[in-house]
Amino acid sequence: MLNTFWKQFKSGTDVRGVASEGVANEPVNLTDAVIRQITGAFVLWLQKRTGLSPEEMTLSVGHDSRISAGRISGVVCDTLCRAGVQVLNCHLASTPSMFMTTVDLHCPGAIQITASHHPFNRNGLKFFTRDGGLEGSELSEILQLAEEGAMPPDAAAPGKITDTDYMTDYAAALRRTIQQGVNAPDYEHPLAGFHIVVDAGNGAGGFYARQVLAPLGADITGSQFLEPDGMFPNHIPNPENPKAMESICTAVKKAGADLGVIFDTDVDRGGAVDEKGEEINRNRLVAIASYIALQGNPGGTIVTDSITSDGLKEYIENTLGGRHHRFKRGYKNVIDEAIRLNREGVNCPLAIETSGHAALRENYFLDDGAYLCTRIIILAACLRREGKTLGDLLRPLREAAEEKEIRLPILEEDFRACGERVIDGLLAYAKAHQWQIAPDNHEGLRVSFGPQDGDGWFLLRLSVHDPILPLNIESNQPGGAKVIAGHLYGYLTSCEGIGLSPLEEYLHS
C-alpha cells in the first residue's frame, strides 16, 4: 500500500500533482526530486516488464503546453540519460502521438508530460508501452518503487538526447487517413471547398489546423487559440466545458464554417460543432462515433460510460443496428471493457466516454481526439457529396428535455466506504419502493421513472478518484429532472456522511 505522500500523485492511471506556484493553498508537490524518483521507477518497472536493460532502451518524451513542461521535461530526460537510456525528445506533442512512437519508432516506452484539462498550475506524467496506457495497478507498482527509493544506477555511458519531430510524421498519417477515406477526385486536396474551424484552447492541438487540414485544401479561417500558451488565457481546453463549447460554436457561426472541432490540452479528447453552430458533444458525439464504428461492423457492440442517455441506446440499437453496452465511467474502464469483449469474441469496434474520450479498435483502441475528429471530417465530407450533413444522421436521436449533474460531497474520511454504504442503502430503498432499477448497473445505481414520476432516470455513483457522489439526472419532460431529484432526496435525507446542499440548492432554485 502506498503511503499518503506517494498516494497523492496517483490519479487513476496517471501521475498528477501541483507543478507551479500561483494558486492559493496549492503548494508545489511535483518537485524535481519527485519527478526524478518516479521517472527512475518507470525505468526499473519497464526493465522488469521487457527484459531490456536501460542501456538497451530508447524512450520518447513529449509534453503539452503547460508552463511547467520545460522544467519537468528537463528532469525526466536527465534522469533517463543518467540511467543509460537513449531519449527521443519530441517536445510539444499530443498524448496520442506519444503512444504512436511505440508503434512507428519502436520505443518500448513513452512518457507524456500532461495534466489534460486541469488548471495551469497542475501537471503530471502519463506512461505508455506498446500495449497502450498503463493500468492503475501498474502505476501503483511504479509509485511503490518510487516510495521505496528504488533507482537505476548511473550508467557508465550516459544516454543521449535526440530532438525528434515526430508530430510531423503523426500529422502526415492523419492526412493520409483523410485522403484515403474521402477518396476525392483531387486526391491531394480532398477538403478543398470545405471550411473547418479548429479551437485548440492554446494546448497542443494547433498542429491539426496547420499541418493536417490546411495542406488538404481546407479553409481554416476563423480557427482560434492555436498558439500554445500554458496559462490558457481564453478558455479551459476541455470539450466538456460550457464556456469552451460556447466559444467554438460562436466561432463556427461567425466564420460561416461547415464544421468545427475542439480539443483538450493534450488532444486525447475532441468534440465537434455542426454547420449551424450546434454542439456534437456528449451523447451526440457518441452517436456519430457509433455510426462511424459500425460501418463494416454490422451488429457490433459499442461500449460507453454509465451516464449515456436512453435515447442513445435506442439510436445505437434501433437506428444503427448495433448493441449498446453501458459500462463504467473512466476512459480506461471503457477501453479495457471493449478489449475484454473482443478477446471473448464479441465484435466491439468502439469504446467511448461522453467526456469525448473515444477509442476505435482500428486505431489501437487509443483515445485520440485528433483521430476521432479526422473520422468525423471524412464522414462529413462524404455526406456532403450526397447533399447531407451530420445533422441528418443525428435526426433520429431522441434527446432529453433536461439533463443535470450534481456533485454531492462525501464528508467522512473513509469516503469510499461511506459512498458504498449510501449506494447499498439506495438499492434496498429502491427495491422497497418498487422503483425500476436498470438491469445493467456496472457502477452505482441507475433508476428509471415513468411519465407520472419525472419521465427519466437518475444515476448515483461513487467518483473514480474523489470524495464525491456524482448524481446524473435526465428527463424527457420540462421540470421532470427536479421531480426525479425529489424522489432521491427523500432517501438521501436519511443518510449520514454526505453533503446535501448542492441538491437542495437545485431543488429550491
Side-chain angles (χ1 to χ4, degrees), residues 357-432:
H357 281 286
L360 287 146
R361 182 177 58 199
E362 67 188 48
N363 191 44
Y364 306 96
F365 271 123
L366 174 66
D367 53 321
D368 185 343
Y371 189 83
L372 174 65
C373 289
T374 292
R375 295 290 273 117
I376 291 173
I377 288 168
I378 292 169
L379 175 60
C382 292
L383 288 171
R384 196 177 187 209
R385 291 184 199 153
E386 304 171 18
K388 298 178 181 178
T389 66
L390 295 172
D392 294 326
L393 295 185
L394 289 170
R395 197 163 290 118
L397 176 65
R398 179 173 64 84
E399 301 190 70
E402 294 182 340
E403 296 179 4
K404 183 66 179 177
E405 180 171 282
I406 302 168
R407 298 171 69 81
L408 304 175
I410 301 176
L411 308 178
E412 295 184 5
E413 184 175 355
D414 189 351
F415 69 87
R416 188 159 298 279
C418 178
E420 290 171 350
R421 184 177 70 243
V422 169
I423 291 171
D424 288 343
L426 177 59
L427 175 60
Y429 185 90
K431 289 179 177 178

Side-chain angles (χ1 to χ4, degrees), residues 19 45 105 128 198 211 227 242 276 358 374 397 404 433 450 457 478 498:
W45 178 86
L105 304 184
F128 291 101
V198 176
Q211 293 181 256
E227 298 299 330
K276 296 178 182 177
T374 292
L397 176 65
K404 183 66 179 177
H433 287 74
W457 55 267
I498 58 173

Side-chain angles (χ1 to χ4, degrees), residues 11 118 407-408 410 415-416 462-470:
S11 178
H118 288 269
R407 298 171 69 81
L408 304 175
I410 301 176
F415 69 87
R416 188 159 298 279
L462 183 59
S463 171
V464 177
H465 311 302
D466 303 317
I468 296 287
L469 282 168

Side-chain angles (χ1 to χ4, degrees), residues 222-254:
S223 293
Q224 58 187 17
F225 318 139
L226 304 182
E227 298 299 330
D229 185 333
M231 293 300 293
F232 311 125
N234 295 291
H235 62 66
I236 297 171
N238 180 3
E240 279 193 296
N241 180 265
K243 182 180 177 182
M245 288 309 300
E246 180 183 356
S247 181
I248 180 65
C249 289
T250 299
V252 168
K253 287 186 280 190
K254 183 178 179 180

